Amino acid sequence: MNTQSKNKSKKIFLLFTLLSIGFLIFLGVMLSNVVAPRNLPSLYTKNTSYAMRGNILSADGFTLAYTTKLYKAVVNTKFIDPQKKDLFIELFSIYSGISPKEIREKLSKRNGVVVLSYNIEEKNAQYLKKLAYELRRYDVFIVRLNPRTGIKTIQGLNIIESGESREYPYKKLLTPVIGYTHKIEDDGYTKIKGVKGLEKRFEAELEARQDELSQGKRDVNGYIILNKESFTKQQLNGLNLKLNIPASLQIRMEKMLDSMKEELDAKQVMLAIMDTKSAKVLSMASSNRYLPKDIRKEDYPSLNSAMLEYSFEPGSVIKTITFALLLDKKLINPYDLVNGHNGRFKIGRKVITDEHEFDWLSAENVIVHSSNIGIAQLAQKMSGLEFHEGLKEFGFASKSIPDMIYERKGSIPHPTRLNNEIYKATCSYGYGMRANLMQLIRAYSVFNNGGKSVTPQIVDSLINELGEETKIPKLEQMQIVNPETAHRMKQILIKTVNKGTGVKAITPGLEVGGKTGTAHKVEDGRYVNKYNTAFLGFVNDKTKKYTMGVVVIEPKKSQFAAQTAVPVFKKAIDIMIENGYLKPDIIE
């Protein structure tokens, strides 16, 4: 083969080799493009919407607590047309209420994604969503090429759910019973949890049950195409809690307690009213309340529901319970004569005194005129075990109400201790034991209900989003004393109001009965010169029966219940008459 022919063959071979290498490179690139992930928009999308906590409703239909959604406004500064930045700032300020200066500062701090606000209320969020649409329509945002993917994109103003806020439209109303909530973070979303009161007790019922979820193929605008391949999970909000307490009555009672706290120069005044027939609590009020959304350090003592969480020595209101136990066991007769010892009597080393001196008085007048000496002597007829078990049957040292938590159940002396005549004597008039207001309400319901105790109920029902109502079952009434004993005790309590220590509660045309109680306070294990006063009883018209109780903590105006707790009780009766809960039978 000549030289020319050899060179020609080499050239052909080299060309073929280069073509082969080029083809292999081409195949490699194509294969890489096929195999490598591509940042193309997904054909599928999903939308979520968080379910909300249930509301708390009053008996007369007012919303006492509800949840609103909070939104955040997010914008990417890279997509704002520089020529229209001022327009964006001005319009966003108008719709959001945020000053243009603040918006401009936030936009200038970062080139990229900026959160303009974290706490946009639901109503404003809807307006801002409309604004976001209009801003796109007026080309406030520009299309940009992604250099990495080669895809043109546009990012506008986004309004995104960021959390929840618990609202209390009537401010301090029904606090501390209603309780309060705190915020917790859940995957970037702020949720609400109950901490105290009804908010905590009914957390499981109030909390959101299921968030909404929709997913499936999307159309060109990013909306889900609803067909058999799409999936939707329904939003299920928490249940609404309907109370037995009418807001209109509660407002009046709280206003009255505020006034009486000031008048009596007291640390706190509290009140509870229960419909004896239905067990419904119509009012559970305290003079010491707080703003659930703005709790301050000085509010801390008021966060506890004192009607349940303040346990104290109840004093002479326990004389009624002691007397009922003796009467039911047929250990005394109301007409038995009791030696008053002229106001001073010694049991062992303990000297017992009365405010008023008595020579002799009937057993029932021991209650009417609140004689410590009289009840101390009568109580000796019971054994320590009988006294202990009797107090337990009346509900002391046990929970009084199922609708609340953190109740302080108080205490009663051990049977062995009550066998001691001194402890038996002091416990007979309410010292050496502890109770809360709602325990006393339950105990006194026995005398207004044929001898059966009534467990107070704050919550009436649970209501779902369809308006379907599930009633809270009533607890069984327990027979504590026989009906004859209850009837006689009722008459004695009426006599106590008409002729004894409760005369300031007299209301013509109504059946009013009750018992006063005053007790020294204990601080650091010693009795001090401070007092709690109480008045427990009932008020009835011809068709309705109510059990009521008042406790005044550390009144400085007077240490006597007749001058402090009884006037509060009377004012509560007057309010109930004015609001139609009681109708006096007055013959003109």
Side-chain angles (χ1 to χ4, degrees):
M1 186 179 292
N2 57 33
T3 303
Q4 188 176 0
S5 178
K6 285 181 179 181
N7 288 337
K8 186 177 180 181
S9 297
K10 286 181 179 180
K11 288 179 180 179
I12 293 171
F13 177 77
L14 182 61
L15 179 62
F16 179 78
T17 301
L18 290 172
L19 289 172
S20 298
I21 291 171
F23 183 70
L24 289 172
I25 291 171
F26 172 76
L27 288 176
V29 171
M30 292 299 294
L31 182 62
S32 174
N33 287 335
V34 170
V35 173
R38 290 180 293 171
N39 294 308
L40 296 176
S42 174
L43 296 176
Y44 292 86
T45 190
K46 69 177 181 179
N47 295 325
T48 58
S49 180
Y50 290 94
M52 291 198 295
R53 187 178 181 83
N55 301 336
I56 299 178
L57 313 172
S58 69
D60 46 358
F62 292 91
T63 302
L64 305 178
Y66 66 92
T67 298
T68 59
K69 287 186 177 179
L70 295 177
Y71 296 78
K72 62 182 177 182
V74 182
V75 69
N76 192 328
T77 58
K78 294 178 180 179
F79 289 85
I80 300 176
D81 186 340
Q83 303 299 318
K84 298 179 180 179
K85 185 175 181 178
D86 289 340
L87 174 63
F88 172 82
I89 291 171
E90 190 65 33
L91 289 174
F92 188 83
S93 175
I94 293 170
Y95 277 76
S96 67
I98 301 172
S99 70
K101 182 182 177 182
E102 184 179 344
I103 298 168
R104 192 177 300 279
E105 286 176 355
K106 288 183 177 181
L107 293 176
S108 63
K109 285 181 180 179
R110 184 176 179 184
N111 184 28
V113 177
V114 174
V115 179
L116 296 172
S117 176
Y118 283 98
N119 296 302
I120 298 170
E121 294 182 354
E122 193 164 7
K123 186 176 180 181
N124 283 350
Q126 300 308 316
Y127 292 140
L128 287 169
K129 285 180 180 179
K130 291 179 181 178
L131 173 63
Y133 173 78
E134 294 298 323
L135 291 173
R136 284 201 179 197
R137 200 159 67 90
Y138 285 98
D139 298 326
V140 172
F141 303 104
I142 57 177
V143 177
R144 296 180 67 90
L145 180 69
N146 188 322
R148 189 167 60 87
T149 63
I151 297 173
K152 292 182 178 180
T153 59
I154 185 171
Q155 293 181 22
L157 174 64
N158 292 312
I159 309 301
I160 305 165
E161 286 184 32
S162 62
E164 303 167 357
S165 175
R166 194 67 165 167
E167 302 298 325
Y168 299 89
Y170 297 96
K171 310 297 182 185
K172 296 182 178 182
L173 184 67
L174 201 58
T175 58
V177 174
I178 202 169
Y180 61 95
T181 60
H182 70 172
K183 296 177 180 180
I184 61 168
E185 290 295 322
D186 182 8
D187 194 23
Y189 187 81
T190 303
K191 290 189 174 182
I192 300 297
K193 290 287 182 182
V195 178
K196 290 281 285 185
L198 296 171
E199 293 276 25
K200 174 65 175 179
R201 166 63 181 83
F202 289 91
E203 174 64 30
E205 291 80 6
L206 288 166
E207 71 175 346
R209 291 177 289 163
Q210 180 176 279
D211 296 332
E212 180 182 333
L213 173 64
S214 299
Q215 60 186 28
K217 287 185 176 180
R218 66 176 184 84
D219 60 20
V220 292
N221 293 312
Y223 297 110
I224 294 173
I225 301 170
L226 297 176
N227 55 31
K228 63 181 182 179
E229 294 181 7
S230 61
F231 170 78
T232 300
K233 187 167 66 173
Q234 185 180 1
Q235 176 176 310
L236 296 175
N237 293 328
L239 299 174
N240 292 338
L241 206 64
K242 184 180 178 183
L243 310 183
N244 288 315
I245 299 173
S248 54
L249 181 64
Q250 183 75 10
I251 289 169
R252 293 287 306 276
M253 292 299 175
E254 289 183 355
K255 186 176 180 181
M256 180 268 291
L257 294 185
D258 292 344
S259 173
M260 291 305 292
K261 177 185 177 181
E262 184 176 347
E263 182 179 324
L264 300 173
D265 194 11
K267 190 173 182 179
Q268 184 173 7
V269 185
M270 47 185 155
L271 161 80
I273 304 171
M274 177 181 72
D275 184 316
T276 311
K277 292 181 180 179
S278 67
K280 293 182 177 181
V281 174
L282 297 185
S283 184
M284 198 169 165
S286 169
S287 60
N288 295 15
R289 304 183 301 281
Y290 58 88
L291 293 169
K293 283 184 69 69
D294 186 24
I295 296 172
R296 302 179 182 183
K297 189 174 182 179
E298 56 265 32
D299 295 323
Y300 289 175
S302 302
L303 299 181
N304 295 333
S305 182
M307 292 77 82
L308 290 154
E309 296 181 63
Y310 181 71
S311 178
F312 62 102
E313 290 186 311
S316 293
V317 292
I318 294 299
K319 289 174 183 171
T320 312
I321 310 300
T322 306
F323 196 93
L325 292 172
L326 290 162
L327 192 61
D328 200 54
K329 296 177 187 300
K330 297 182 171 48
L331 296 174
I332 60 169
N333 183 298
Y335 302 116
D336 289 342
L337 288 178
V338 182
N339 192 340
H341 295 279
N342 294 313
R344 188 177 179 85
F345 179 62
K346 191 173 183 181
I347 295 182
R349 293 177 298 171
K350 174 73 176 177
V351 177
I352 300 172
T353 60
D354 277 335
E355 190 65 33
H356 303 287
E357 295 181 4
F358 297 102
D359 184 8
W360 291 87
L361 69 168
S362 69
E364 74 172 29
N365 279 343
V366 166
I367 302 301
V368 174
H369 299 294
S370 198
S371 170
N372 294 337
I373 293 171
I375 199 68
Q377 294 175 88
L378 292 173
Q380 304 304 320
K381 296 176 182 289
M382 277 189 293
S383 70
L385 181 61
E386 286 176 319
F387 198 4
H388 177 88
E389 291 302 313
L391 291 171
K392 280 181 64 177
E393 287 179 6
F394 265 94
F396 296 105
S398 64
K399 281 197 67 171
S400 65
I401 191 166
D403 299 338
M404 298 285 281
I405 57 174
Y406 306 130
E407 178 173 356
R408 300 187 70 173
K409 297 184 291 186
S411 61
I412 53 179
H414 190 273
T416 304
R417 176 163 282 192
L418 285 174
N419 276 329
N420 179 288
E421 61 180 357
I422 296 176
Y423 282 110
K424 190 182 295 180
T426 55
C427 189
S428 72
Y429 51 82
Y431 279 84
M433 64 172 290
R434 302 185 75 84
N436 63 54
L437 174 56
M438 297 313 292
Q439 287 174 325
L440 293 167
I441 288 285
R442 182 174 63 179
Y444 268 72
S445 71
V446 171
F447 309 127
N448 201 30
N449 192 44
K452 293 181 178 180
S453 69
V454 181
T455 300
Q457 289 188 276
I458 301 173
V459 178
D460 176 67
S461 58
L462 299 167
I463 306 171
N464 66 19
E465 290 179 281
L466 300 176
E468 297 168 337
E469 195 168 357
T470 303
K471 292 283 185 180
I472 302 295
K474 292 181 181 178
L475 297 178
E476 182 183 356
Q477 297 183 5
M478 303 298 293
Q479 192 77 43
I480 307 303
V481 297
N482 66 60
E484 293 76 19
T485 300
H487 177 74
R488 189 53 188 260
M489 292 306 304
K490 184 175 183 178
Q491 298 308 311
I492 292 172
L493 290 172
I494 292 170
K495 184 179 178 181
T496 303
V497 167
N498 291 335
K499 297 182 179 181
T501 57
V503 290
K504 289 191 175 182
I506 292 174
T507 307
L510 295 177
E511 185 179 63
V512 184
K515 179 72 188 76
T516 51
T518 300
H520 278 276
K521 286 195 68 177
V522 176
E523 291 182 358
D524 299 322
R526 303 180 66 180
Y527 287 105
V528 295
N529 194 30
K530 297 177 183 177
Y531 297 86
N532 291 330
T533 66
F535 189 72
L536 271 292
F538 53 83
V539 55
N540 307 326
D541 61 17
K542 284 193 169 182
T543 61
K544 297 174 183 176
K545 295 182 176 183
Y546 300 102
T547 303
M548 293 173 53
V550 171
V551 174
V552 182
I553 300 175
E554 295 185 33
K556 292 180 181 177
K557 180 180 180 181
S558 171
Q559 69 184 55
F560 300 110
Q563 307 299 323
T564 55
V566 178
V568 176
F569 193 96
K570 177 65 169 88
K571 286 182 179 291
I573 292 175
D574 293 341
I575 291 171
M576 293 179 74
I577 294 170
E578 292 168 9
N579 284 264
Y581 291 92
L582 287 166
K583 295 182 180 179
D585 184 25
I586 299 175
I587 300 174
E588 298 180 1

